[in-house]
Amino acid sequence: MWVRSSWGVSLFAASLLLSMVTAQVAKQPKSSSPWLTLSGDAPMVIAKGGFSGLFPESSSNAYAFAYIAGSPDTVSWCDVRLTKDGVGICLPEIIMDNCTDATYAFPDGKNTYIVNGVSTTGWFSVDYTMKNLSQVFLKQEVLSRTFRFDGTFHILSVEDVETQVKPPSFWLNIQHDMFYRQHNLSMRSYLISLSKRIIIDYVSSPEVAFLTSISSRFKKSKMKLVFRFLEETTIEPSTNQTYGSLLKNLTFVKTFASGILVPKDYIWPVTSDLYLQPHTSLVSDAHKVGLEVFASDFANDAVLSYNYSYDPLAEYLSFADNGVFSVDGVLTDFPITASEAIGCFAHVDKNSSANVKPVVLSHNGASGVFPGSTDLAYQQAVDDGADIIDCSVQVTQDGTLICMSSINLMDDTTVTRSPLNTRSSIIPEIQTGLGIYTFNLTWDEIQKNLKPAISNPELAYNLVRNPRFKNAGKFMTLSDFLAFAKRNKALSGALINIEHAAFLAEKLNYSITDAVISALKDSGFTNQTDQEVLIQSSSSAVLMKMKQKTKCKLVYMVDESIRDADASSIADIKHFADTVSVQKQSVYPQSLEFITGETKLVQKLQSAGLSVYVYVLRNEFVSQAWDFFSDPVVEINNYVQGAGVDGIITDFPVTAVAYKRNTCSKLGDDAPGYMRPVQVGGLLQIIDPQAQPPALAPMPVLEVSDVVEAPLPPASLKPLSQTNEQNAVAPAAQPSAGPRCTAAFNLLVSLLMLIGALLFI
Ligand SMILES: *[C@@H]1O[C@H](CO)[C@@H](O)[C@H](O)[C@H]1NC(C)=O
Ligand SMILES: *[C@@H]1O[C@H](CO)[C@@H](O)[C@H](O)[C@H]1NC(C)=O
Ligand SMILES: *[C@@H]1O[C@H](CO)[C@@H](O)[C@H](O)[C@H]1NC(C)=O
Ligand SMILES: *[C@@H]1O[C@H](CO)[C@@H](O)[C@H](O)[C@H]1NC(C)=O
Ligand SMILES: *[C@@H]1O[C@H](CO)[C@@H](O)[C@H](O)[C@H]1NC(C)=O
Ligand SMILES: *[C@@H]1O[C@H](CO)[C@@H](O)[C@H](O)[C@H]1NC(C)=O
Ligand SMILES: *[C@@H]1O[C@H](CO)[C@@H](O)[C@H](O)[C@H]1NC(C)=O
Ligand SMILES: *[C@@H]1O[C@H](CO)[C@@H](O)[C@H](O)[C@H]1NC(C)=O
Ligand SMILES: *[C@@H]1O[C@H](CO)[C@@H](O)[C@H](O)[C@H]1NC(C)=O
Ligand SMILES: *[C@@H]1O[C@H](CO)[C@@H](O)[C@H](O)[C@H]1NC(C)=O
């Protein structure tokens, strides 16, 4: 059962978030391979304070939503603290300063106490009765999460959680027993009395004395005791040994506990620069002495090792499905993501041919992992299982066609730090600021002086990509790229993206379209039938010309956010394209990362016979709307199952391909609830009216005037040399694509900066 009791208005609204009309019948998928857990069962998903990645930790919505969005098997975790009158409450921290508004409710409530030998100052629950605390509201304490649910939820007692949520499995974490004893409060008595009223499945504690004091009392009960390890150098207060030294004697731990809970880096250590080291033998060692192993600190917005390429599912799978061991459970702030990983992404046959939909297209190769458009990025995209790799074609001064994400080398190369950094110019047709353009440098100069630079689209949030490889790889010419694609028969095709064709023709007397056609002929690509060539452009003139001269599949890229396309614009697109690429926001418009609804654009284009690709999907958690829970798979699933797109253009093909191989998509209506699309816009409905994000002006409708362009002017196959450029033809009407692109980009940047300012002051 998903919804066990009446939740009140906000929880009812929360349940609207997922279209789960038939979810009650959802089955937990049975996997063919056995789990390497101690019991052989699937690892448990333990929701820390409920779905605390979204709602304030330990709030009623957080607990309830873990079941609404996640698996019905999720274990509810509560960090138990005691009030002055001995009531057990669920609160993430011993001091309430950051996780509640107690500092506001009790301005004079600050106190200093010794906690495990350390003088600690703040607002403590032991200073207040449960009745006092009814004035206090919970707050999201993690700054990378939304604050818009703050101030709506009260502190819950352990019994409140039990009666309101009825978790199928309840885990109490009891820390600081020694501290409460100093305040004449006994966790032991509390637990004994509580256990007479409710069923507690797990109790964990980092204090040996506390666990030993209750272990004989609960010997006959089903309650399992788990010893929690803190950082290795921290001293366990009742034995005065470090946790690191206690780890060396697991047989001792087994005398009072049936399991251990460890920070995840006890199992997969990470270097100081965030690369994964080989795993330790801890899980196997603990299993040998009969201890279950639970790993903590999982969160989609936590600092992830670069080895996971910002994919939180990849991290869970390295703990649960690595062929050597599996942990027995994971403690997470984002239980839905753990449920997906364990329920649908483990024990996947990597050789099985992936489902047909969606087509996975790389964006400058696997540019999330290596510098874009390099040999390494393309190889990675192939290794990851992308269907189609892409080259944004640019021309050098000497007429060599190369793959480069941008015509401006400042974007994704080291040019500003090279001797060629003087070769900048302002070319208003391309952009307002300074640029160093591919057509101003020769191919030889580029290769000798520049290195590729990895793109960091979420740098504003201090999220960078694979720093050890930030300048790795080699630049590629278009002909290298085509030869590479042709060699890799697993690819169904190659996409060539052409921009600035009108500018190059008018200003440089250079026909990039003719040059691409000639390169395609030379490559022999046009002769083969097993792989297709796609030409993508935001210019209808380019596609029109390619349609006349080639048999390539043609993709029209709408480079602005739109909410709709009128009938005449669609009719016009049909003249020159088979497929349309649209921005993410054109499908799911959003305000400050809250999705406001769903447009009918995808359906409309598809019913006109056009395929639809969506761009650009990324793994970094800040790139997904809140409605998608900082989970790249939830986002992909919504675009595929919810909106029905035909293809995904992504910096991280590995994640989209893993999505295609997941074992639940073939279950159809029997797929578990957490693999169903989210009912977008639901979160907005449960935000307090005063905390609502601003309503934005609606995005424009694509009209035929946005699409139609003058044909490309005639031009030659060799770019005009720099010296006689003055003779270039007088500028014709400017292509409308350029300015539109800039405007859309600026809007996005300012939105991101606004969110950045809100989240990170
Ligand atoms: C509370 O938040 C402040 C500011 O972010 C931080 O410095 C402090 O460590 C936090 N306290 C706790 C107990 O997490
Ligand atoms: C808490 O409640 C008690 C009794 O109701 C009252 O005397 C006390 O002043 C309250 N404490 C605060 C900080 O409000
Ligand atoms: C705890 O109880 C003892 C004995 O009754 C008393 O002396 C002490 O002040 C109490 N401590 C606190 C923090 O209430
Ligand atoms: C631990 O150390 C403290 C302070 O050094 C001491 O008071 C206490 O007796 C020690 N406990 C044990 C179990 O050794
Ligand atoms: C481990 O703990 C057990 C039980 O307390 C004890 O008998 C044994 O000597 C310890 N072993 C080591 C290596 O400390
Ligand atoms: C993590 O990535 C680094 C850099 O690519 C590599 O050297 C290391 O072996 C990887 N770690 C694991 C456990 O695969
Ligand atoms: C998958 O394919 C690889 C290479 O083709 C092969 O070595 C491997 O044995 C296959 N694995 C399975 C499970 O079939
Ligand atoms: C780059 O090429 C354009 C077009 O030929 C020209 O106007 C500009 O001056 C050149 N810039 C540099 C720095 O050579
Ligand atoms: C492609 O086919 C054409 C005619 O069928 C032929 O002339 C040409 O040599 C072929 N190109 C390659 C690279 O095989
Ligand atoms: C463009 O190049 C073609 C072919 O080289 C030449 O015939 C034509 O005159 C050139 N146009 C300009 C404006 O230079």
Side-chain angles (χ1 to χ4, degrees):
M1 285 297 284
W2 293 84
V3 178
R4 268 164 281 254
S5 61
S6 57
W7 308 106
V9 175
S10 61
L11 288 180
F12 172 71
S15 69
L16 290 177
L17 275 173
L18 296 173
S19 49
M20 295 176 34
V21 191
T22 56
Q24 275 86 347
V25 298
K27 292 182 203 87
Q28 189 69 16
K30 257 276 171 270
S31 130
S32 51
S33 322
W35 288 98
L36 299 173
T37 52
L38 189 61
S39 66
D41 293 338
M44 292 173 5
V45 175
I46 308 152
K48 185 166 176 290
F51 202 144
S52 48
L54 182 61
F55 294 106
E57 186 160 344
S58 310
S59 64
S60 53
N61 260 25
Y63 281 115
F65 202 69
Y67 297 98
I68 294 170
S71 159
D73 300 331
T74 304
V75 179
S76 279
W77 161 290
C78 163
D79 278 293
V80 185
R81 319 284 166 187
L82 292 177
T83 62
K84 192 176 195 165
D85 48 346
V87 179
I89 55 174
C90 301
L91 265 191
E93 308 292 338
I94 188 163
I95 61 169
M96 303 191 286
D97 308 24
N98 289 359
C99 58
T100 71
D101 65 359
T103 57
Y104 169 82
F106 305 116
D108 306 320
K110 187 150 62 171
N111 239 326
T112 299
Y113 292 122
I114 307 292
V115 180
N116 289 356
V118 179
S119 172
T120 307
T121 299
W123 277 254
F124 288 84
S125 60
V126 291
D127 292 335
Y128 304 95
T129 61
M130 189 64 198
K131 189 148 186 297
N132 291 148
L133 291 179
S134 65
Q135 314 171 39
V136 174
F137 290 98
L138 293 163
K139 251 172 49 178
Q140 178 55 268
E141 63 172 338
V142 179
L143 296 181
S144 55
R145 300 177 187 170
T146 178
F147 58 87
R148 288 182 194 275
F149 302 108
D150 288 3
T152 13
F153 307 107
H154 286 290
I155 295 176
L156 297 179
S157 70
V158 176
E159 284 158 291
D160 289 338
V161 177
E162 171 64 23
T163 46
Q164 291 185 19
V165 186
K166 296 193 175 50
S169 191
F170 207 177
W171 182 312
L172 304 185
N173 180 52
I174 294 180
Q175 237 148 298
H176 307 113
D177 170 56
M178 293 174 80
F179 168 78
Y180 291 108
R181 268 191 280 143
Q182 287 160 21
H183 293 266
N184 292 344
L185 293 166
S186 165
M187 275 291 188
R188 184 173 187 273
S189 320
Y190 167 73
L191 192 61
I192 290 169
S193 112
L194 182 73
S195 68
K196 291 178 182 144
R197 284 168 278 143
I198 70 176
I199 296 170
I200 303 153
D201 302 275
Y202 293 85
V203 168
S204 59
S205 175
E207 294 178 23
V208 173
F210 176 68
L211 289 175
T212 48
S213 80
I214 61 169
S215 68
S216 55
R217 177 67 179 71
F218 289 106
K219 206 161 231 143
K220 295 226 165 63
S221 89
K222 288 214 173 98
M223 184 202 288
K224 291 186 174 179
L225 301 186
V226 175
F227 182 51
R228 179 176 204 180
F229 284 82
L230 304 180
E231 291 307 313
E232 296 207 33
T233 51
T234 303
I235 290 174
E236 194 286 312
S238 59
T239 60
N240 284 356
Q241 290 188 48
T242 62
Y243 287 98
S245 73
L246 287 166
L247 190 66
K248 298 201 177 84
N249 199 342
L250 291 173
T251 33
F252 170 58
V253 174
K254 183 70 173 98
T255 61
F256 59 86
S258 65
I260 57 173
L261 170 64
V262 296
K264 63 191 180 184
D265 61 359
Y266 272 56
I267 297 169
W268 281 105
V270 172
T271 60
S272 58
D273 65 344
L274 296 179
Y275 285 89
L276 215 53
Q277 293 182 294
H279 63 78
T280 65
S281 61
L282 174 60
V283 179
S284 313
D285 294 348
H287 282 176
K288 264 180 219 140
V289 302
L291 285 168
E292 289 191 292
V293 181
F294 305 97
S296 67
D297 303 303
F298 290 88
N300 295 2
D301 56 354
V303 177
L304 271 196
S305 162
Y306 292 109
N307 295 63
Y308 301 125
S309 298
Y310 284 102
D311 179 354
L313 282 87
E315 183 181 38
Y316 290 114
L317 292 172
S318 77
F319 284 81
D321 182 31
N322 58 30
V324 181
F325 61 79
S326 171
V327 295
D328 301 278
V330 290
L331 175 62
T332 174
D333 294 2
F334 292 81
I336 185 174
T337 308
S339 297
E340 290 157 34
I342 290 165
C344 305
F345 286 70
H347 312 313
V348 165
D349 178 5
K350 298 231 162 54
N351 290 4
S352 75
S353 63
N355 308 333
V356 185
K357 235 176 129 175
V359 179
V360 174
L361 299 99
S362 71
H363 179 242
N364 302 310
S367 58
V369 183
F370 290 113
S373 313
T374 58
D375 56 342
L376 293 178
Y378 290 126
Q379 184 63 54
Q380 186 70 42
V382 168
D383 295 347
D384 289 345
D387 299 304
I388 293 171
I389 55 172
D390 67 306
C391 166
S392 274
V393 67
Q394 317 292 350
V395 65
T396 63
Q397 192 178 43
D398 53 328
T400 305
L401 290 179
I402 60 172
C403 299
M404 192 69 77
S405 67
S406 168
I407 195 167
N408 178 4
L409 292 163
M410 285 173 159
D411 289 339
D412 287 317
T413 75
T414 57
V415 72
T416 51
R417 288 180 279 133
S418 79
L420 305 181
N421 63 6
T422 55
R423 306 273 285 273
S424 62
S425 39
I426 292 180
I427 300 187
E429 294 90 335
I430 298 178
Q431 64 178 50
T432 46
L434 274 179
I436 300 178
Y437 294 101
T438 56
F439 52 81
N440 286 133
L441 305 184
T442 66
W443 174 225
D444 197 48
E445 284 176 322
I446 290 173
Q447 291 182 91
K448 288 208 172 102
N449 296 285
L450 313 188
K451 281 197 168 126
I454 203 161
S455 74
N456 289 312
E458 310 296 359
L459 194 60
Y461 300 92
N462 283 326
L463 298 177
V464 298
R465 292 172 172 176
N466 206 3
R468 283 191 193 169
F469 295 88
K470 66 179 180 194
N471 299 119
K474 291 200 190 76
F475 298 117
M476 302 263 279
T477 63
L478 177 64
S479 55
D480 291 343
F481 168 83
L482 290 171
F484 175 83
K486 233 181 132 192
R487 271 202 308 280
N488 284 284
K489 294 295 175 195
L491 292 169
S492 67
L495 178 146
I496 301 172
N497 190 55
I498 305 177
E499 295 299 339
H500 305 295
F503 166 81
L504 294 170
E506 282 155 16
K507 293 294 159 66
L508 298 182
N509 191 17
Y510 179 65
S511 172
I512 192 160
T513 44
D514 286 337
V516 166
I517 292 165
S518 155
L520 280 172
K521 283 198 181 123
D522 293 347
S523 74
F525 229 115
T526 40
N527 288 21
Q528 54 179 42
T529 50
D530 53 338
Q531 288 176 311
E532 58 182 351
V533 176
L534 294 76
I535 304 290
Q536 176 176 265
S537 181
S538 63
S539 156
S540 59
V542 166
L543 296 176
M544 205 72 98
K545 169 136 185 215
M546 296 309 275
K547 177 163 179 145
Q548 286 155 11
K549 299 218 172 170
T550 72
K551 292 200 160 31
C552 293
K553 188 170 161 181
L554 302 170
V555 184
Y556 181 55
M557 172 178 260
V558 181
D559 61 4
E560 64 177 337
S561 295
I562 54 172
R563 69 172 194 275
D564 198 359
D566 71 16
S568 58
S569 71
I570 294 177
D572 198 60
I573 291 170
K574 292 266 295 174
H575 289 140
F576 57 79
D578 324 284
T579 301
V580 180
S581 319
V582 300
Q583 293 180 355
K584 291 200 305 184
Q585 301 90 306
S586 299
V587 180
Y588 295 122
Q590 40 180 271
S591 172
L592 295 182
E593 308 285 310
F594 284 96
I595 294 179
T596 56
E598 179 174 356
T599 67
K600 297 268 175 287
L601 185 63
V602 176
Q603 281 166 269
K604 208 160 169 182
L605 293 168
Q606 285 173 341
S607 54
L610 293 159
S611 298
V612 180
Y613 297 160
V614 66
Y615 72 95
V616 175
L617 275 76
R618 303 198 161 107
N619 280 3
E620 287 96 340
F621 67 88
V622 291
S623 75
Q624 295 107 34
W626 300 119
D627 300 61
F628 298 146
F629 314 134
S630 309
D631 179 329
V633 165
V634 171
E635 181 180 55
I636 294 172
N637 193 42
N638 255 71
Y639 281 101
V640 175
Q641 288 211 35
V645 301
D646 303 282
I648 286 197
I649 300 176
T650 173
D651 286 357
F652 296 90
V654 66
T655 302
V657 172
Y659 168 77
K660 282 174 68 165
R661 291 187 177 135
N662 90 75
T663 53
C664 295
S665 53
K666 55 172 170 277
L667 300 177
D669 285 349
D670 284 343
Y674 50 77
M675 282 303 289
R676 285 153 182 273
V678 168
Q679 188 71 51
V680 293
L683 282 186
L684 271 185
Q685 296 176 32
I686 53 177
I687 297 177
D688 192 278
Q690 285 159 7
Q692 288 278 337
L696 298 183
M699 299 179 293
V701 175
L702 190 73
E703 292 169 1
V704 75
S705 59
D706 301 319
V707 177
V708 172
E709 285 176 3
L712 295 173
S716 82
L717 264 178
K718 275 268 164 257
L720 205 62
S721 72
Q722 305 287 308
T723 45
N724 56 5
E725 63 171 287
Q726 290 86 342
N727 304 331
V729 285
Q734 272 177 26
S736 59
R740 263 202 280 140
C741 178
T742 321
F745 178 71
N746 286 343
L747 177 64
L748 184 66
V749 167
S750 51
L751 255 181
L752 285 176
M753 277 163 44
L754 183 53
I755 295 166
L758 286 171
L759 290 182
F760 291 98
I761 345 173

